[in-house]
Amino acid sequence: MHSGIRASGSERTTRARERTRTGLLGARTGLLGALVLAAALVFSLTGPVTGTARAAVAVAGPCQGHKIKTYKFSTGRVTVFKGSGFICALTYAENPGRARKMSVTLQARGHRAVTNSGVFRKYAGPVSVRAAQRCVMVTGSVGRGSLKPRWLQC
């Protein structure tokens, strides 16, 4: 590659530009690779939305629609909302602030259950299922207290 002759100033500048361009391309490729990896990770954790899983749709924020029911139990309450063909639910702690195990589950009849559970301070959820004219089972828990399964829209 080197013939022992020094490159002129313009040739050195051209080579430097090529190295910089290659470095930027490498950085872009690295960023794109990281984004693809992150998307693959999310997809692998949530699974494909096919078959009966189409009925289950996670909601990113508080439930949309209007409140249709609140079920109270010893350590909390489950509030259910309905809007645009979806049923959405959250489980609230009776005394928020202290982290404890909570869960909320919705299941449209004939479809998979959608659950959000973990250790939370205020509420678990929201979870949402497509349930136009279907019976939907709702359950929830806060600590040792829980709501026995209840059916909606039946």
Side-chain angles (χ1 to χ4, degrees):
M1 181 137 170
H2 293 286
S3 60
I5 303 174
R6 285 182 56 119
S8 68
S10 64
E11 289 176 12
R12 283 191 300 255
T13 304
T14 303
R15 286 183 190 157
R17 283 185 187 146
E18 287 176 317
R19 282 192 305 268
T20 303
R21 194 174 319 133
T22 304
L24 290 176
L25 180 60
R28 287 182 189 152
T29 304
L31 179 60
L32 180 61
L35 290 174
V36 169
L37 181 62
L41 178 63
V42 168
F43 185 72
S44 70
L45 292 174
T46 60
V49 180
T50 60
T52 58
R54 280 192 196 140
V57 177
V59 177
C63 291
Q64 301 297 313
H66 60 281
K67 182 168 58 169
I68 59 170
K69 195 75 176 170
T70 297
Y71 297 106
K72 293 185 179 186
F73 55 96
S74 62
T75 56
R77 69 186 187 278
V78 176
T79 304
V80 183
F81 298 83
K82 182 177 182 179
S84 302
F86 287 87
I87 299 288
C88 180
L90 296 128
T91 297
Y92 292 96
E94 186 67 31
N95 298 311
R98 187 175 53 107
R100 68 196 119 192
K101 189 169 182 176
M102 296 185 202
S103 72
V104 62
T105 301
L106 286 177
Q107 181 176 7
R109 183 168 284 172
H111 295 277
R112 291 182 186 169
V114 180
T115 300
N116 178 245
S117 65
V119 177
F120 305 108
R121 293 182 182 273
K122 294 181 181 180
Y123 63 88
V127 294
S128 182
V129 294
R130 185 178 300 274
Q133 309 306 318
R134 290 185 192 267
C135 290
V136 176
M137 183 181 64
V138 59
T139 63
S141 67
V142 176
R144 292 185 181 184
S146 64
L147 173 70
K148 292 180 182 178
R150 302 289 177 100
W151 287 96
L152 297 166
Q153 300 190 150
C154 290

